Amino acid sequence: MEQILQKYYGFQEFRIGQRALIEYATQGQSSLGILPTGGGKSICYQVSGIALGGLTLVISPLISLMKDQVDALTAAGIKAAYLNSQQKAAESRAVEAGLLNGEYRFLYVAPERFEQNHFRNLLARLDIRLIAFDEAHCISKWGHDFRPSYRQVVGQVMHFGAPCMAVTATATVDVRNDIQTLLHIPDHYVVETSIKRENLAFNVDPTFQKDKMVRRYIKEHIQDSGIIYVSTRKQVEALGEQFSDYGIKHTIYHAGLPADTREQNQSDFVNDNCPVMIATNAFGMGIDKSNVRYVIHYNLPQDLESYYQEAGRAGRDGLPSECILLFSEQDIRLQQFFIGNTADESIQEKKKEKLEKMVQYTKTTQCLQGTLINYFNPAEHLEPCGRCTNCLKEADYDMTTEAKKLLSCLLRMKTAVSKSVLTKVIRGENFPHHDYSHLSTFGLMKEYESKDIHGFIDTLLFNGYVDEYEGKLSAHESAKDILFDEVKLMTHYHPVRYNERVTIHTLVEMDEMLFEKLKEVRKELAESMKIPPFTIFSDHTLTLFAQKQPISKQEMFQIEGVGAYKLKHYCPKFIEAIKRYQTPV
C-alpha cells in the first residue's frame, strides 16, 4: 500500500484512518470513513481501487467534484474518466468504449446517471471491484445536503457484489447510523477520526459593519486565495458589485448563473486566475483547491454541518488559514424563513434544533474548534485549540476553587453521571431513587445558579479535565493537576465581546520570491495540460521547494508530495527554475 501511496501521491505514510479503510476494502469489506476536510478521503478509495485492480465506480454528487478528481488522477498518471450530462454524445461514447476495453481504473458518475437503462446495462458488463460513495452525507435524509437521487442509487449498486466505501467529512450520530443501515456497515467497519484541524483558526465576529470588515480583510490578504459565503443570490451580486467599485479582483458563483458562466468562474478561481470567490452554498462541495487561505461566512449558516463543511475548505494544504463567521440577528430570521418552507414537519423540527446549535456556537465562550468537535463526536477528549477567538480572549475569572469542588464531587460519586445530576448534587438537591446526601461534597455549591455550574462544567470539559461519553461525565486523569494545585483554571465568567482578529502568516521561513516563480512554473504547466495548478503540486509542496531548494531528482524525491510519476513529468521544470534562480545571469 505504501508503494502505491509513494508512487502516485508522493507521501511516505498514511494519515490516521486511511490504512484501516484501505485494508477493509482490499479484504472485501464495506466501510464508512468520517475524516476531516483535507484529511485525504479520496486517497482511501483511490489507493484501494489501484490495489484491487479492475474498475472503481465513484458516485459523486457534483460534476465539479468529478472533473477535479479526474484531473488529479490524470496528473498522477492514473487512467480515469467521468460521465455526466455536460458531455457531448461523442465524448460519452468514447468513454464507454474505453470502459469496455478496460482502459480506465476509475469512473466518476452522478447519482442521476443511474436513471438511464443504457448506463445500468453498461455497468453490468464492467469489472467493478469497488464502489465509492463520495460526500456520503448526501445519502442520509438527516444530512445537510440530502439528495434523494443519491439515496435511491444504493439499492441499484448493492447487487454488484463489490465492497462499498462511503466517505464524508461531516456526519452527526444520526447521519452515521443512517448510512450504516443503508449500506449494511457494522460498527466495526466505521473509521471516524477527529475533525480537529491544527492549522485552522476559527473566529466569530458579530460586527454590524460586515462590508467594511470584509473589504479591509481582503486588502490585508491581497495575495491570498479565499471564499466568501453569503446566503442569497442577491447578496452575491450586491457584494460583487461593491468589490468591483473598490477594484477588488473577484468572481461570483450561484445557481442562478448560466451553467457556462458558473463553470468559467469556478475555473478562474481554481486555476488561480482570480483570488476571491463570492458564492452561495451552491459552490464548493468537492472543490479540491488546496491553497484557500481563508473562508469568510458573511451570513450565519443554517447548521454546524454546513458551516464546518464550508469553512473546512480553507487550508487543505496544511498551512495556517482562517475561518471567520460574521452574523447578525437578521441572519437568524432569514434561516428561520428558509426552514419554514420545508414541507416535512419532522425534518423541519430537526432543522430548527440544528439552527439553535448554530446560534449557540456564535455565543459560546468555550473553544470554537472544541465546540465543533463536541457537536460531531461528543465522546472525543477536548483541549483548547489556542487559536480561535475565544482561546485568544483573556479569561477574567479564576474558577480553580469551583473546579476542585466539582471534580471532587464527581470522583466521590464513583460513577459517570450527566451534567444535570452533577449540578443537582453539588447544589444539594436529592433524587427519588438516589441519596447522595452522605457525600461530603453534597450541597457544596448551593449558592450558585445552575446555569453558572453548567458553565463551570463546560469549561472543565473543553479544557480536557472532564470527558463525556453518551451524555455521562467522568474525570480525566489530568484532573489531578487541578486537585493538587499544579494548575490554575481561568474562565469567561461573564459574556464576552469578540473583537480580536488573528494575523495569519501563511508562508514562513522560505524564499518568497522563489515561491512566486515556482507558482508561475506550475501555472504554465497547468495551462499546457489544461488541468488546475494545485493538481500538479500543492502550495505546501511548493513551499518546501522554496525552503529546501532541491536541484536534483534525488533531492526532489525526498520532498512530501513528490511521487514517481510527478518526479519524471513535472520536476525537471521546477529544478530548472530553482537553478536559474540560484545563478541569475
Side-chain angles (χ1 to χ4, degrees):
M1 300 302 169
E2 276 78 5
Q3 289 180 338
I4 295 174
L5 184 72
Q6 205 285 324
K7 178 180 179 180
Y8 293 106
Y9 301 95
F11 300 119
Q12 299 299 318
E13 57 186 27
F14 290 105
R15 295 180 183 178
I16 297 173
Q18 288 180 326
R19 170 171 276 283
L21 288 168
I22 293 167
E23 287 179 349
Y24 293 151
T26 54
Q27 293 165 7
Q29 300 286 349
S30 293
S31 60
L32 167 61
I34 306 171
L35 283 68
T37 302
K41 294 181 292 296
S42 58
I43 281 180
C44 296
Y45 60 76
Q46 288 173 3
V47 171
S48 299
I50 294 169
L52 286 167
L55 179 72
T56 293
L57 177 64
V58 184
I59 305 169
S60 170
L62 285 178
I63 291 174
S64 60
L65 173 63
M66 297 180 209
K67 186 178 186 305
D68 288 345
Q69 293 283 355
V70 169
D71 284 344
L73 286 166
T74 302
I78 303 167
K79 292 288 285 183
Y82 57 79
L83 288 170
N84 65 46
S85 58
Q86 292 186 358
Q87 287 174 306
K88 295 179 180 178
E91 293 174 320
S92 296
R93 286 196 297 270
V95 170
E96 291 175 7
L99 288 166
L100 291 171
N101 290 330
E103 294 176 13
Y104 297 111
R105 306 297 294 274
F106 294 88
L107 173 65
Y108 284 75
V109 296
E112 291 76 15
R113 200 76 180 179
F114 286 81
E115 297 171 4
Q116 302 176 9
N117 288 330
H118 173 76
F119 178 68
R120 294 197 298 271
N121 293 334
L122 172 68
L123 290 182
R125 301 169 63 188
L126 304 178
D127 181 21
I128 298 174
R129 304 282 182 87
L130 178 66
I131 300 167
F133 291 91
D134 211 342
E135 306 292 350
H137 60 276
C138 297
I139 296 174
S140 173
K141 62 182 179 181
W142 304 122
H144 61 284
D145 282 316
F146 174 48
R147 294 271 293 272
S149 59
Y150 204 176
R151 192 179 182 91
Q152 292 165 6
V153 165
V154 174
Q156 300 184 47
V157 300
M158 298 301 282
H159 70 276
F160 288 126
C164 298
M165 183 188 295
V167 293
T168 181
T170 52
T172 60
V173 174
D174 289 340
V175 171
R176 182 181 66 207
N177 291 341
D178 196 20
I179 295 172
Q180 285 184 248
T181 301
L182 283 168
L183 299 179
H184 310 296
I185 300 171
D187 289 341
H188 180 69
Y189 296 109
V190 176
V191 177
E192 183 171 12
T193 62
S194 176
I195 69 165
K196 186 185 298 182
R197 299 274 301 279
E198 301 288 356
N199 63 313
L200 297 186
F202 289 90
N203 298 306
V204 172
D205 188 346
T207 179
F208 290 101
Q209 297 180 316
K210 291 183 179 183
D211 293 349
K212 186 177 180 180
M213 180 273 171
V214 170
R215 291 198 307 270
R216 184 187 70 233
Y217 184 92
I218 290 174
K219 288 180 178 179
E220 291 174 357
H221 299 78
I222 199 68
Q223 298 299 324
D224 293 333
S225 183
I227 304 172
I228 303 170
Y229 281 108
V230 299
S231 291
T232 66
R233 301 175 187 180
K234 184 177 180 180
Q235 286 176 314
V236 170
E237 301 282 355
L239 197 58
E241 288 181 13
Q242 185 185 133
F243 277 23
S244 295
D245 291 342
Y246 281 90
I248 299 173
K249 191 175 181 181
H250 69 284
T251 190
I252 64 172
Y253 191 105
H254 61 68
L257 294 172
D260 56 344
T261 302
R262 291 200 306 271
E263 185 176 348
Q264 182 59 55
N265 291 357
Q266 177 174 309
S267 176
D268 286 343
F269 179 68
V270 169
N271 289 290
D272 291 339
N273 294 325
C274 198
V276 180
M277 170 63 79
I278 307 171
T280 62
N281 59 8
F283 174 80
M285 186 164 61
I287 298 300
D288 195 23
K289 182 175 170 63
S290 62
N291 62 336
V292 176
R293 290 277 72 81
Y294 60 86
V295 172
I296 298 175
H297 277 80
Y298 188 87
N299 304 108
L300 186 78
Q302 196 170 101
D303 50 57
L304 285 169
E305 292 99 312
S306 301
Y307 177 66
Y308 177 72
Q309 181 91 8
E310 292 157 10
R313 288 167 190 142
R316 297 185 65 161
D317 54 10
L319 296 178
S321 304
E322 197 165 9
C323 308
I324 303 170
L325 172 59
L326 311 179
F327 76 96
S328 66
E329 293 299 318
Q330 185 177 349
D331 294 336
I332 300 173
R333 290 192 291 272
L334 178 62
Q335 295 299 345
Q336 289 171 335
F337 171 77
F338 289 152
I339 292 172
N341 290 330
T342 305
D344 189 309
E345 288 189 12
S346 63
I347 294 179
Q348 188 176 117
E349 287 304 311
K350 195 74 175 179
K351 287 186 174 183
K352 287 179 181 177
E353 293 175 13
K354 290 185 174 185
L355 177 58
E356 180 60 29
K357 292 285 187 182
M358 186 71 246
V359 174
Q360 288 175 12
Y361 175 82
T362 68
K363 300 182 184 303
T364 183
T365 60
Q366 304 299 335
C367 171
L368 293 175
Q369 179 153 269
T371 302
L372 290 167
I373 292 170
N374 190 246
Y375 176 75
F376 288 105
N377 188 2
E380 185 171 339
H381 179 70
L382 302 176
E383 293 178 342
C385 73
R387 299 177 302 279
C388 73
T389 316
N390 292 350
C391 286
L392 294 173
K393 177 73 176 180
E394 186 176 353
D396 59 359
Y397 183 82
D398 184 348
M399 62 162 280
T400 308
T401 299
E402 289 87 351
K404 286 181 178 180
K405 292 177 180 179
L406 284 163
L407 291 170
S408 297
C409 187
L410 185 57
L411 290 168
R412 281 174 170 76
M413 295 175 79
K414 296 183 179 179
T415 184
V417 297
S418 67
K419 182 190 295 186
S420 62
V421 169
L422 177 58
T423 301
K424 288 179 182 294
V425 171
I426 206 161
R427 291 187 75 241
E429 300 176 29
N430 247 320
F431 298 84
H433 305 295
H434 296 280
D435 184 10
Y436 293 106
S437 60
H438 64 282
L439 297 178
S440 60
T441 52
F442 183 77
L444 198 58
M445 296 177 67
K446 60 185 177 183
E447 72 275 17
Y448 289 85
E449 295 286 338
S450 295
K451 64 179 179 63
D452 291 329
I453 294 175
H454 287 172
F456 292 141
I457 293 173
D458 282 345
T459 301
L460 287 168
L461 177 66
F462 281 82
N463 282 272
Y465 298 112
V466 167
D467 285 334
E468 182 178 15
Y469 182 71
E470 294 184 347
K472 301 294 181 66
L473 305 174
S474 60
H476 186 260
E477 60 180 17
S478 61
K480 66 180 185 298
D481 294 339
I482 289 180
L483 294 170
F484 297 138
D485 293 319
E486 293 183 18
V487 297
K488 182 170 69 171
L489 184 58
M490 303 297 291
T491 187
H492 300 284
Y493 192 65
H494 302 286
V496 296
R497 302 291 180 187
Y498 307 90
N499 294 320
E500 282 73 18
R501 295 178 64 257
V502 179
T503 300
I504 297 294
H505 301 287
T506 56
L507 302 171
V508 297
E509 298 179 1
M510 66 155 191
D511 191 319
E512 294 195 23
M513 190 176 295
L514 175 57
F515 177 76
E516 292 300 324
K517 290 187 178 298
L518 294 176
K519 282 173 64 176
E520 292 174 7
V521 173
R522 181 180 65 178
K523 188 168 179 59
E524 289 173 4
L525 268 174
E527 288 175 348
S528 68
M529 299 180 67
K530 297 182 179 179
I531 58 176
F534 64 83
T535 60
I536 294 177
F537 287 123
S538 69
D539 274 15
H540 176 65
T541 300
L542 292 192
T543 299
L544 296 175
F545 286 175
Q547 289 174 338
K548 299 182 180 181
Q549 301 191 16
I551 55 173
S552 69
K553 285 189 175 181
Q554 290 78 10
E555 291 176 352
M556 278 277 186
F557 203 49
Q558 302 303 314
I559 292 178
E560 184 179 292
V562 179
Y565 182 87
K566 293 187 178 184
L567 182 72
K568 177 181 178 181
H569 292 85
Y570 306 148
C571 285
K573 291 283 187 183
F574 291 92
I575 291 173
E576 182 183 334
I578 293 170
K579 286 181 177 178
R580 281 201 310 269
Y581 182 77
Q582 290 178 340
T583 56
V585 178

